[in-house]
Amino acid sequence: EMADFEGEVVDYQDEESSEAYAFTEELQKGEPDVVEPEKFKQRVLEMEEELEKLTRMEQQVEKQITSASDKLDESSIYVGQVDYEATPEELRAHFAPCGTINRVTIVCDKITGRAKGFGYIEFADAESVDNALKLDDSMFKGRQLKVLPKRQNVPSGFPRGGGGGQ
């Protein structure tokens, strides 16, 4: 037994939506359990083709995102053992001779807002990174800096956070 459809009917101009609507309309009239097998098969094929298209598009977008973040990481360094009172401006001044700096980030604790003692510097080009790496073990505000290439953030495929077993 089919329920009566009540509500607003929206008229879509989209060709695929109207096909789906026509297909649904066809299912609703006559005997509810009888569907022409050929039309059903055709609709399944169309849906599979659409899924393939969407999968290809998703892969292209992922490639673009990955290549953009790769370029970003190639022009960035990690700076450890940074004095807790240091400002981004002071760090910028220390690394300025290496090349054009786009951004200086000193990582802070989310809750307390205090510096964690490390940060990242993003340069305009990868050449500047090579120069900056030469400042590994240099002194900055009385501390010996650790300067390394910024490591790639590779998604592990696992959700973050603890599992909390029993």
Side-chain angles (χ1 to χ4, degrees):
E1 185 177 283
M2 291 182 91
D4 289 335
F5 177 77
E6 289 185 347
E8 188 178 328
V9 175
V10 180
D11 184 26
Y12 289 104
Q13 297 303 312
D14 179 9
E15 190 178 309
E16 294 210 5
S17 295
S18 61
E19 284 174 18
Y21 181 75
F23 182 71
T24 307
E25 213 173 48
E26 219 171 273
L27 289 176
Q28 289 174 346
K29 61 181 155 175
E31 298 175 42
D33 296 327
V34 178
V35 179
E36 289 182 40
E38 289 308 309
K39 286 191 178 182
F40 186 75
K41 286 178 187 171
Q42 181 60 38
R43 185 67 187 131
V44 169
L45 281 173
E46 289 168 6
M47 290 166 72
E48 286 172 347
E49 287 172 12
E50 184 68 16
L51 177 63
E52 262 181 56
K53 267 192 246 174
L54 290 170
T55 303
R56 279 195 303 271
M57 286 170 59
E58 183 182 24
Q59 288 168 345
Q60 286 176 326
V61 168
E62 282 177 10
K63 280 181 191 170
Q64 290 171 345
I65 290 170
T66 302
S67 76
S69 70
D70 285 351
K71 286 183 183 106
L72 227 162
D73 284 351
E74 286 170 9
S75 58
S76 297
I77 58 166
Y78 161 86
V79 185
Q81 301 300 316
V82 176
D83 181 84
Y84 292 99
E85 305 300 316
T87 65
E89 292 75 23
E90 291 170 324
L91 214 48
R92 179 182 293 270
H94 187 76
F95 285 92
C98 301
T100 305
I101 297 172
N102 289 343
R103 179 175 36 195
V104 176
T105 306
I106 293 178
V107 179
C108 296
D109 183 280
K110 287 179 190 162
I111 297 163
T112 65
R114 285 193 298 244
K116 286 187 166 187
F118 69 94
Y120 300 96
I121 299 177
E122 179 192 320
F123 291 94
D125 54 63
E127 270 177 51
S128 303
V129 170
D130 295 333
N131 295 333
L133 293 174
K134 294 173 185 160
L135 289 181
D136 185 32
D137 293 328
S138 64
M139 294 301 286
F140 173 73
K141 294 191 80 169
R143 296 185 67 156
Q144 199 170 14
L145 293 180
K146 193 83 210 139
V147 182
L148 302 167
K150 183 176 184 282
R151 72 172 174 80
Q152 199 72 346
N153 276 335
V154 180
S156 65
F158 293 103
R160 295 179 67 96
Q166 287 184 335

